[in-house]
Amino acid sequence: MGGSVTNAVLVATAERCLGRRARMPVFVAGPSVLLVATLIHPPHGGDAESWFRAAVGNPTRFYLAHILFLVGTLILVPAALTLALRLAHLRPRLAVLGAGLLVAGGFGVSGLVGIDLVVWEMAQRHADPAEMLALLEAVSSEPGVVLPLYGLTGTLGLGFALLLGGLEHAGAIPRGSMAMTVAGVALWAAGLPVAPLGIAGTVLLLVGLARAGLTLDAH
């Protein structure tokens, strides 16, 4: 009897370890790609001229950084779904809402990256810089374009807040994981014009999600 109980405990422990080992790449890959993208990204302000000049002066870095932003954000989706599945056993409605907001945030980032790729094309040598800058100024100041995309992107942090907050409340992940992750998303999004802030944001995001993934089955 004692031997069977011991074996069952060992098997359960081994399964948890293997589960964490298989799951960790999902939680660290997205933030790691975003960190690399932030390091590559040529800083620029929110105004059209600064944005355009960054694409003109550093076309390769500009293009690669935004492709990696898209890839890194898409890789966050499996991590979000993993969190949502765990939370679904405890608070199913919150899990669905959090996962939905995160997916919506992914669409927002995709839309913004799409605009950045258009800016990259506009900055090529065969285009007239004055005309392209005037077009970008018109697009970037149009509320019908900017507000929906930035609004959707903002749901990324809100989705993580709901999922990780619910799991923290249930004791499934350590306290502080939600705060670190949400702060990381906010700093990354707001801090791109200032490289150190953007880098700090992706590092916080990486640590917050890694803590959650490592301990998800241990609590």
Side-chain angles (χ1 to χ4, degrees):
M1 179 67 177
S4 63
V5 171
T6 301
N7 288 338
V9 171
L10 290 174
V11 169
T13 302
E15 288 178 345
R16 284 198 300 270
C17 290
L18 288 173
R20 287 196 295 270
R21 189 173 297 176
R23 187 175 57 240
M24 283 310 293
V26 173
F27 282 85
V28 303
S32 297
V33 172
L34 291 177
L35 174 58
V36 172
T38 304
L39 290 169
I40 294 172
H41 182 259
H44 60 78
D47 61 290
E49 183 173 2
S50 173
W51 191 3
F52 186 70
R53 297 305 173 198
V56 171
N58 304 277
T60 302
R61 287 173 56 196
F62 191 91
Y63 179 83
L64 182 58
H66 289 97
I67 290 296
L68 291 177
F69 283 143
L70 178 61
V71 171
T73 303
L74 293 178
I75 298 175
L76 290 178
V77 173
L81 294 179
T82 301
L83 295 171
L85 288 173
R86 179 67 175 83
L87 183 59
H89 296 290
L90 306 167
R91 300 183 63 182
R93 292 181 181 178
L94 188 63
V96 171
L97 179 58
L101 288 171
L102 270 161
V103 172
F107 281 115
V109 173
S110 300
L112 290 175
V113 169
I115 291 180
D116 279 303
L117 294 181
V118 172
V119 173
W120 173 78
E121 178 61 27
M122 291 164 62
Q124 301 307 299
R125 295 182 184 277
H126 59 267
D128 182 270
E131 290 183 2
M132 293 300 99
L133 180 56
L135 176 59
L136 181 57
E137 286 174 343
V139 171
S140 62
S141 61
E142 173 54 54
V145 174
V146 175
L147 292 181
L149 291 179
Y150 278 102
L152 279 176
T153 302
T155 65
L156 197 67
L158 183 56
F160 272 125
L162 294 181
L163 293 179
L164 294 171
L167 290 169
E168 277 190 19
H169 183 73
I173 60 174
R175 294 284 179 182
S177 299
M178 184 269 283
M180 293 179 71
T181 302
V182 173
V185 171
L187 271 178
W188 168 62
L192 285 177
V194 183
L197 289 181
I199 293 168
T202 53
V203 170
L204 275 177
L205 176 61
L206 174 60
V207 174
L209 282 182
R211 290 178 81 227
L214 186 64
T215 59
L216 195 56
D217 292 333
H219 288 70

